[in-house]
Amino acid sequence: MKEEDKLRKELGMENPFRVPEDYFEGFTSQLMSRLPEKEKSDVFRTPTTWEKIRPWVYMAAMFVGAALIIRVASSRVDVPVHEQSVLADDTDMETEMEYIDVAIDNSMLDDYSLYVYLTDEDSKQ
């Protein structure tokens, strides 16, 4: 604290930085005169047809690409396409029955309660 007081006494409290008089009065006009002129035709030109439809074309290409990637990734190479649907149906049914068997075993329902539950589900549809 004593050192700060010493420095304040020696150097004083006034601000050593100064700005010339009327510096900011002509600052804007001087700055604008130094900037290069811009072509006004670029500002108001109308976009071409390609510039208008380019985002839509890119978006359509993206969806087509995504669909092709999904199609290639989900198809099996060794089985023809018409046989894939038959195999998928059989596999889905087997998997579904496995899950149903496990659910029935773990549900701790007796046969009558299960029968009532299943008949109630059929009547709601």
Side-chain angles (χ1 to χ4, degrees):
M1 198 69 163
K2 292 179 182 179
E3 289 182 32
E4 286 182 26
D5 292 335
K6 272 187 192 178
L7 289 174
R8 285 186 183 153
K9 285 181 183 176
E10 288 178 17
L11 301 174
M13 292 293 292
E14 81 179 51
N15 189 356
F17 301 104
R18 305 243 186 271
V19 177
E21 285 187 35
D22 299 332
Y23 177 76
F24 289 109
E25 301 226 355
F27 181 75
T28 307
S29 60
Q30 289 175 4
L31 180 66
M32 292 305 285
S33 67
R34 291 181 187 172
L35 292 175
E37 289 293 323
K38 240 183 171 180
E39 291 183 24
K40 303 220 183 231
S41 62
D42 285 348
V43 176
F44 295 109
R45 75 176 182 85
T46 57
T48 63
T49 305
W50 172 245
E51 288 174 343
K52 289 180 184 177
I53 64 168
R54 183 174 31 195
W56 295 100
V57 172
Y58 289 165
M59 186 171 53
M62 179 194 62
F63 282 116
V64 168
L68 288 174
I69 288 171
I70 291 171
R71 171 91 173 163
V72 168
S74 66
S75 66
R76 291 179 49 183
V77 178
D78 59 340
V79 179
V81 175
H82 66 279
E83 292 179 15
Q84 285 181 6
S85 61
V86 174
L87 290 175
D89 291 342
D90 292 342
T91 307
D92 290 343
M93 184 63 100
E94 291 172 12
T95 307
E96 193 173 302
M97 290 305 291
E98 288 176 19
Y99 287 125
I100 289 174
D101 290 339
V102 171
I104 289 173
D105 290 340
N106 293 333
S107 65
M108 298 189 320
L109 293 173
D110 59 348
D111 291 337
Y112 180 73
S113 300
L114 183 61
Y115 172 76
V116 170
Y117 175 75
L118 291 175
T119 54
D120 286 343
E121 286 295 316
D122 288 340
S123 65
K124 290 179 183 176
Q125 294 177 357

